[in-house]
Amino acid sequence: MKKNKVLVFGSKGLVGKSLVNTLTSSEKVENVFSSTREDTDLHSKDQILTTVQNFKPDYIINCAAKVGGIYANNTYRSEFLIDNLKINLNLFDIVKEFKNLSVINLGSSCIYPLNAINPIKEESFLEGKLEPTNSPYAIAKITGIELGREISNQYGNKIINLMPTNLYGPNDNFSEKDSHVIPGLIYRMHKAKLNDQKDFNIWGSGEPLREFMHVDDLASCIEFLINKEIESDLINVGTGEEISIIDLANLIKKIIKFDGEILKDLDMPDGNPRKLLDSGLINKIGWKSKITLEDGIRSTYKWYLNTIS
């Protein structure tokens, strides 16, 4: 089995930290370089080039991105587009100079059209209008996919674009407004419990259906794909299960042991009414998710309590 040197960009984020832990114990990996903003500014091509030249990786795993929940995406639209475009443009411009360098690039399920048929297959890519609240972020990720494809075709690099479903887990951003769904609900509901609030508002109608996956499952998928000879360059990664936002809130209520009533804030946006990925391709290749939603949220909440204590 080939032992690889793996360079992880974005190693301090939600995915990056989980991935580095997974790769450190992998038999496929000789060495992992955990790159951060302190050693490499991904807005600088020169710094990316220096890091690649110094480490000489076999694989780059690109976990770096400016990310946030529906409120952040819809509020800081310019920043989400500019920052993520810069990362993709600079990174892939350097990658093409190293023909034996492989890349696993992380995208997002938001690249798919608003009205894509669920479960969403990879073939839905570029087949329709994007969901408007996070279209800038989606466009930046779409650019990364197209760059990867054309560089692979023209220069020969092996590039896989993974489209994970909604992720959660330890080291996520737990805040009032800038978080994704699960860490945002955990943060606000835990605060409501401490304050003995009689009710708790979820954003929107609670009716949209979402698929959620623990970040450790994604890390295991990335590790699984190292050394694999795969023809597809765009692969969905999800659990195949979905839950409504109101049911998710009630599940978190049970785990946190919050006694108040769940109310709906209809002034806040719902986003896409349904988004479930078809993960049949990655399942056929040989990988499946293992962590149930309830187990994953329980372990995440435990981590959160230990972190804030």
Side-chain angles (χ1 to χ4, degrees):
M1 179 185 296
K2 180 184 177 182
K3 292 273 191 174
N4 298 276
K5 297 177 70 177
V6 181
L7 170 58
V8 179
F9 284 124
S11 66
K12 294 297 184 183
L14 169 67
V15 178
K17 285 189 175 181
S18 175
L19 179 61
V20 169
N21 289 336
T22 298
L23 295 182
T24 299
S25 59
S26 172
E27 295 181 354
K28 300 178 182 180
V29 178
E30 175 187 349
N31 193 10
V32 181
F33 182 74
S34 305
S35 177
T36 70
R37 294 176 184 176
E38 296 177 1
D39 61 75
T40 311
D41 179 1
L42 296 180
H43 291 172
S44 167
K45 284 171 58 177
D46 289 340
Q47 289 193 31
I48 297 172
L49 177 60
T50 298
T51 299
V52 173
Q53 288 176 328
N54 289 342
F55 186 66
K56 299 179 176 62
D58 301 294
Y59 275 86
I60 287 178
I61 315 294
N62 181 28
C63 304
K66 181 177 179 64
V67 298
I70 187 172
Y71 178 86
N73 270 282
N74 202 30
T75 303
Y76 311 112
R77 298 175 68 85
S78 297
E79 290 86 347
F80 273 84
L81 180 57
I82 292 169
D83 285 1
N84 288 297
L85 276 176
K86 283 181 178 179
I87 291 170
N88 287 326
L89 289 170
N90 289 336
L91 176 58
F92 281 112
D93 203 20
I94 295 302
V95 165
K96 65 181 175 50
E97 304 299 326
F98 300 85
K99 294 186 177 181
N100 294 322
L101 180 55
S102 298
V103 179
I104 297 178
N105 182 52
L106 298 187
S108 167
S109 59
C110 71
I111 66 161
Y112 291 117
L114 173 63
N115 296 319
I117 297 174
N118 284 266
I120 305 171
K121 296 180 178 292
E122 290 86 351
E123 291 79 8
S124 294
F125 181 57
L126 296 181
E127 288 294 318
K129 183 179 179 180
L130 299 169
E131 203 285 312
T133 60
N134 60 10
S135 58
Y137 180 75
I139 288 170
K141 288 299 184 180
I142 288 169
T143 301
I145 296 169
E146 288 296 286
L147 274 170
R149 283 183 167 176
E150 299 312 321
I151 287 170
S152 179
N153 290 334
Q154 189 170 347
Y155 295 93
N157 300 84
K158 178 183 175 184
I159 299 172
I160 298 175
N161 295 284
L162 294 186
M163 299 302 115
T165 191
N166 302 292
L167 300 172
Y168 70 96
N171 301 298
D172 209 338
N173 174 26
F174 294 79
S175 67
E176 188 76 24
K177 291 185 176 180
D178 293 339
S179 296
H180 288 110
V181 178
I182 289 179
L185 286 173
I186 289 174
Y187 175 88
R188 295 193 300 116
M189 201 177 294
H190 177 74
K191 185 178 177 181
K193 176 184 175 181
L194 294 181
N195 293 334
D196 293 321
Q197 289 179 210
K198 300 302 181 184
D199 52 52
F200 177 86
N201 283 339
I202 61 170
W203 295 351
S205 68
E207 296 177 2
L209 297 171
R210 291 290 182 270
E211 176 186 25
F212 297 96
M213 183 171 68
H214 194 282
V215 67
D216 288 352
D217 269 339
L218 177 59
S220 76
C221 182
I222 294 170
E223 191 273 343
F224 169 81
L225 289 171
I226 291 175
N227 289 343
K228 292 283 185 183
E229 292 297 328
I230 297 171
E231 294 183 3
S232 301
D233 72 329
L234 180 63
I235 303 175
N236 291 338
V237 184
T239 64
E241 299 179 358
E242 58 188 342
I243 185 172
S244 71
I245 297 301
I246 187 65
D247 287 344
L248 174 67
N250 281 311
L251 174 60
I252 293 174
K253 174 183 175 178
K254 180 180 78 170
I255 291 170
I256 290 179
K257 298 180 180 178
F258 171 66
D259 294 328
E261 182 182 0
I262 304 293
L263 303 178
K264 301 171 183 179
D265 184 356
L266 299 179
D267 290 331
M268 299 299 286
D270 270 341
N272 201 326
R274 187 186 184 206
K275 189 165 61 176
L276 174 67
L277 293 182
D278 185 330
S279 297
L281 175 57
I282 189 65
N283 295 160
K284 185 177 180 181
I285 294 169
W287 178 89
K288 289 186 178 181
S289 64
K290 295 180 179 179
I291 302 172
T292 67
L293 182 60
E294 182 165 349
D295 287 346
I297 293 177
R298 286 190 183 280
S299 64
T300 300
Y301 183 54
K302 182 178 180 180
W303 176 90
Y304 177 70
L305 292 178
N306 291 334
T307 302
I308 63 174
S309 61

